[in-house]
Amino acid sequence: MKFFFILIIYLISTSSLAHSKQVRWLAFGDIRGHVESCGCDPATDLGGIGRLNYFLTLEAQANKPFLLFSLGNNLASETVKNNAINAMLAKLDLTAALLNERELLAAELAGNYLLSNLPKGSPHAERKNIRKYVSTDREIIFGYLFNQRVATQVRKFDDQLLQEWQTLIAKHRKQQSYLLFAGSLEHLRALLARAQVYKIKFEQVLMANHASFDTTPTHKEKNAPHLLTHKIGDNQVYMTPLAAQGVLRGGAMLHNEASLLFAKKPANDGLFGKRVTWLDKRYNDQSAKFWQDYLKAQDHEFKRREQEGVKHLASSQFTGALACKGCHVKEYLVWEQSKHAQAMQTLVAKNRHLNVDCVACHSVGFGSGGYVSEKFTNHLAGVQCENCHGAGIEHIKSGGKVKTPHGKGFNCIACHHPPHTADFNQQLYWQKIKH
């Protein structure tokens, strides 16, 4: 027994020594506007730019120097969120940031980006903050994006493009070649197969998440991290987790995670390393200026909507649960004792009661002529009868003769979907609020 214990310690120490000479790298991407985690369900409480920033700060303190890659598709469709994302990215010491689809289509783009397959004459090709390749002391890094939505703005790989890469690799023959890729697995297989003809070998291929833009982030990739790994020929391809819920680790970074210093229970992908660090609540930190600016902007947006919503209160179709009590006393008492009734208080406790993304699922009719704010519509705070059954004013006015729009309700999936709820079982949940 003692012999095997000594052998394990020896293997760990020799492995760590060997890997200490390797290149260290971290990679993230596909934030896709996922500025902060919902936090309603611990299973899906992952990601967010505040956590990402704090994680990278810890790693920089413990493990610098290392290569830091962004695989792009980080931007949202909202200005407030984009400002926060760009501010966070600007403070990072990125080695290379792939110009992905959302960045390609952005009207304005802050920071430096990499894309090797821009066609000649492209307006992007002339921009000083977009490079065809990035060269460091030990690496030469290429970036490639292709899908049908951007086919007219980028070059599909051909012999001419691969010859250009071959020439650059020969010129930088003492450096290892890296590829940051965005596209389908089938396209990547074809590209790597053709690259072999030109004897182009990439030391590392990193891939942006290929999930469609309408895919909501769940805990699926964390529970099955093999989904992020693809073997293509001699290349081991690693894909970034969706919504930057985690950060890829490579080289020597597999063996010296900074977070292990404070993690309660480190979860490794095997004896000799951890491939992904998942950004859970251990990385909660709100001290960064860009984060404070984001919270202020969210408060401002909420107050703007409050001012607009007040104008329409006189014509609101929502009444609140108290108005239902007169005829539905037993149902009201069940609701009053449920967590639904306290839904707004949970946001107040987390200081998210002025966040438009959160309030929508913790109030009645927010943005639809219902809840405006605690000050003006406190009777519509929390999840109430009308969340499931629909606005009840006509039902009440008619003495119950006019049915509510959704009858018996069961509009649960409007809020109980990932990432708000990891695994929703309507039959099981119904037992908790049955009335």
Side-chain angles (χ1 to χ4, degrees), residues 314-317 319 323 392-402:
S315 59
S316 176
Q317 298 297 299
T319 65
I393 193 166
E394 295 302 326
H395 176 71
I396 292 174
K397 283 181 177 179
S398 68
K401 294 179 181 179
V402 176

Side-chain angles (χ1 to χ4, degrees), residues 70 108 111 194 272 296 346 366 411:
S70 166
E108 295 183 9
R194 192 59 186 167
F272 298 120
K296 290 177 183 176
T346 63
F366 181 72
N411 193 28

Side-chain angles (χ1 to χ4, degrees), residues 189-262:
R189 288 191 184 97
L191 188 157
L192 293 177
R194 192 59 186 167
Q196 282 188 324
V197 176
Y198 288 89
K199 298 182 179 179
I200 296 174
K201 178 175 174 55
F202 295 106
E203 179 67 21
Q204 187 66 70
V205 179
L206 300 176
M207 181 178 184
N209 200 291
H210 55 49
S212 62
F213 282 133
D214 60 355
T215 303
T216 54
T218 69
H219 57 314
K220 183 178 179 181
E221 291 176 345
K222 182 182 179 184
N223 289 355
H226 65 275
L227 296 173
L228 301 173
T229 304
H230 304 281
K231 184 70 174 177
I232 301 179
D234 295 331
N235 295 100
Q236 196 75 6
V237 179
Y238 297 108
M239 185 171 70
T240 54
L242 183 61
Q245 292 188 332
V247 178
L248 291 175
R249 312 181 70 85
M253 297 296 272
L254 290 172
H255 311 276
N256 51 356
E257 184 182 21
S259 64
L260 296 183
L261 298 173
F262 65 88

Side-chain angles (χ1 to χ4, degrees), residues 351-382:
N351 195 30
R352 290 296 182 273
H353 59 294
L354 300 182
N355 186 306
V356 295
D357 291 335
C358 300
V359 170
C361 278
H362 289 250
S363 64
V364 178
F366 181 72
S368 303
Y371 183 81
V372 171
S373 67
E374 287 181 288
K375 178 180 177 181
F376 294 102
T377 51
N378 193 48
H379 65 293
L380 298 178

